[in-house]
Amino acid sequence: MVTNLRFSGDTLRIGLDAYPLATARTGIGRYVLELCRQLDLLLPEARFYCYSPSPITADLPSARWIRRIDRHPLMARIGSYWWLKGRVHRWCVEDGVEIFWATRTILPRATSCFKTVTTVHDLNHLIVPRSMPPVTRLAHRLFFARDVRRADVVAVNSSATARRLWEHLTVRADGVVRPGVSRSFTRQERSQVGARLRNLGVERPYVLAVGTLEPRKNLESLITAFLELSNTGRLPGYALIIVGRPGWKNASIHRQLAAPDAKNIRWLGYVADDDLAALYGGAGAFVMPSVYEGFGMPVLEARTAGAPVLASDIPELREAGGPDGVYVAPNKEGIMQGLLKILSKKTPSTPPTSMESWETAGTVMAKLFHQTTTQGLGAASPKRAE
């Protein structure tokens, strides 16, 4: 049950990096929006200032969420992290912000006038740096470690991310704000699933993958494994359906998709949540072969919708996939063995527990905001190591 958390004094002013709410609702964008909805319920006396260099496309929870869009003509060109460093501090001061939420980990250049809560989603730049676009990788190399260490409160999205944060930066997280599952992904009736699949032009049986077409998602290995099984008659009748944005460094994937023997592989691009829920529900298996994830929200969504889960054997995906998932090495041989195993097993995954809900996540996040009010401005945290 959601319980209001009240702060002493006047209306609490919270600023946030709202750039994730200006982009397509995947990954971090979905995570931030769902937490915003919960915080609106939990912090009824707060006012939220949403800073972005691009128009915010998400429906904000209430009138207490105030858009602050930077319309300077250069902002769209300099990159969102450089905008955050150069422009947001002044806005926070003008709006009287008391707490700033760094939704993408990176903080404004100066924070002495307000408290800070940073969310760490992953450590891509340390673990798989070449999977990142160069500008993003550079921003994280320059700012990530310093900003995490100087934040008043550090939140992470999984216990596995908390462990990696300690191993790589000797920084201890203050709280784990694990993703929940949006209501759109609750298990649908078979007839409803069938109708939506027909609208998408998708026929059973199929294997589903969800992820941006970029190196870290390791879709090339999945396509190679699927084609070998399919071409040797070990996956009779199965198609491979891929959902996700175009991404970057994806030329080799597009060559695979265009090959003559890839006629039973379809890339649908981005699809709406209701359609994605149906794709999960109708899948013979959901596969997430990523070489690294901070958590793996699609795995949690697939479990909720009833799809058997096959994922890379890394702690973050085991945390998301639960005890019923099949976990393999993220290479062609491992994926092939996993596909044969999971498609013969055909046992739906166990749905997430109440601990894996946005209500729970919002409560933890609101308490972390509350924690900042017990610290003095500029106070050093004993949990940080320089």
Side-chain angles (χ1 to χ4, degrees), residues 328-350:
V328 298
N331 54 39
K332 185 187 77 171
E333 292 73 21
I335 296 168
M336 288 173 60
Q337 293 172 10
L339 281 171
L340 293 174
K341 179 178 180 179
I342 200 166
L343 291 175
S344 64
K345 183 181 176 184
K346 293 183 178 179
T347 302
S349 298
T350 303

Side-chain angles (χ1 to χ4, degrees), residues 201-248:
V202 173
E203 296 183 359
R204 296 184 178 102
Y206 62 88
V207 173
L208 176 68
V210 175
T212 303
L213 304 192
E214 53 105 343
R216 183 169 53 87
K217 301 298 182 180
N218 197 30
L219 293 170
E220 286 185 67
S221 295
L222 171 59
I223 293 171
T224 301
F226 178 85
L227 284 175
E228 183 161 332
L229 291 175
S230 182
N231 293 339
T232 55
R234 286 178 283 177
L235 286 182
Y238 272 90
L240 171 60
I241 306 297
I242 301 173
V243 171
R245 296 276 179 184
W248 55 90

Side-chain angles (χ1 to χ4, degrees), residues 132-147:
M132 303 175 75
V135 173
T136 303
R137 183 169 67 244
L138 176 61
H140 280 71
R141 284 179 172 174
L142 291 175
F143 307 132
F144 185 97
R146 178 174 178 269
D147 284 356

Side-chain angles (χ1 to χ4, degrees), residues 60-356:
L60 298 178
S62 72
R64 292 185 292 116
W65 295 75
I66 301 163
R67 288 173 166 85
R68 291 282 193 260
I69 311 302
D70 197 335
R71 302 192 183 278
H72 192 286
L74 292 179
M75 292 306 102
R77 299 181 182 180
I78 67 172
S80 61
Y81 289 110
W82 312 101
W83 158 81
L84 176 62
K85 280 295 177 185
R87 303 275 288 183
V88 172
H89 170 262
R90 176 176 61 83
W91 284 19
C92 287
V93 172
E94 290 176 356
D95 290 328
V97 162
E98 297 159 86
I99 301 173
F100 181 83
W101 176 22
T103 61
R104 298 180 296 158
T105 310
I106 307 302
L107 296 171
R109 61 176 172 81
T111 58
S112 59
C113 297
F114 46 83
K115 309 305 281 301
T116 54
V117 176
T118 189
T119 295
V120 177
H121 301 276
D122 54 59
L123 282 79
N124 287 342
H125 69 293
L126 297 176
I127 298 171
V128 284
R130 292 187 179 180
S131 71
M132 303 175 75
V135 173
T136 303
R137 183 169 67 244
L138 176 61
H140 280 71
R141 284 179 172 174
L142 291 175
F143 307 132
F144 185 97
R146 178 174 178 269
D147 284 356
V148 169
R149 288 186 173 122
R150 69 189 179 98
D152 293 290
V153 169
V154 176
V156 294
N157 63 344
S158 68
S159 297
T161 296
R163 289 192 294 272
R164 290 193 193 264
L165 189 62
W166 177 255
E167 291 167 3
H168 286 270
L169 296 182
T170 326
V171 172
R172 201 177 303 280
D174 296 286
V176 178
V177 186
R178 190 175 287 109
V181 186
S182 304
R183 291 186 178 86
S184 302
F185 299 108
T186 53
R187 195 169 302 194
Q188 299 181 359
E189 296 292 334
R190 185 176 180 84
S191 59
Q192 187 179 5
V193 169
R196 288 192 176 277
L197 293 182
R198 285 191 294 274
N199 289 337
L200 292 168
V202 173
E203 296 183 359
R204 296 184 178 102
Y206 62 88
V207 173
L208 176 68
V210 175
T212 303
L213 304 192
E214 53 105 343
R216 183 169 53 87
K217 301 298 182 180
N218 197 30
L219 293 170
E220 286 185 67
S221 295
L222 171 59
I223 293 171
T224 301
F226 178 85
L227 284 175
E228 183 161 332
L229 291 175
S230 182
N231 293 339
T232 55
R234 286 178 283 177
L235 286 182
Y238 272 90
L240 171 60
I241 306 297
I242 301 173
V243 171
R245 296 276 179 184
W248 55 90
K249 288 188 178 181
N250 55 24
S252 58
I253 296 177
H254 284 294
R255 285 194 295 270
Q256 287 180 307
L257 296 174
D261 62 348
K263 294 180 181 178
N264 56 346
I265 301 177
R266 287 186 60 196
W267 172 49
L268 301 183
Y270 177 83
V271 302
D273 286 355
D274 289 340
D275 289 334
L276 181 55
L279 286 166
Y280 284 136
F286 171 73
V287 186
M288 194 160 196
S290 304
V291 294
Y292 172 63
E293 293 285 341
F295 179 72
M297 287 174 59
V299 170
L300 203 62
E301 294 166 356
R303 286 177 59 193
T304 302
V309 169
L310 169 64
S312 300
D313 193 4
I314 59 175
E316 292 82 357
L317 291 183
R318 280 187 173 271
E319 187 171 341
D324 299 325
V326 173
Y327 303 98
V328 298
N331 54 39
K332 185 187 77 171
E333 292 73 21
I335 296 168
M336 288 173 60
Q337 293 172 10
L339 281 171
L340 293 174
K341 179 178 180 179
I342 200 166
L343 291 175
S344 64
K345 183 181 176 184
K346 293 183 178 179
T347 302
S349 298
T350 303
T353 68
S354 60
M355 292 302 292
E356 296 163 312

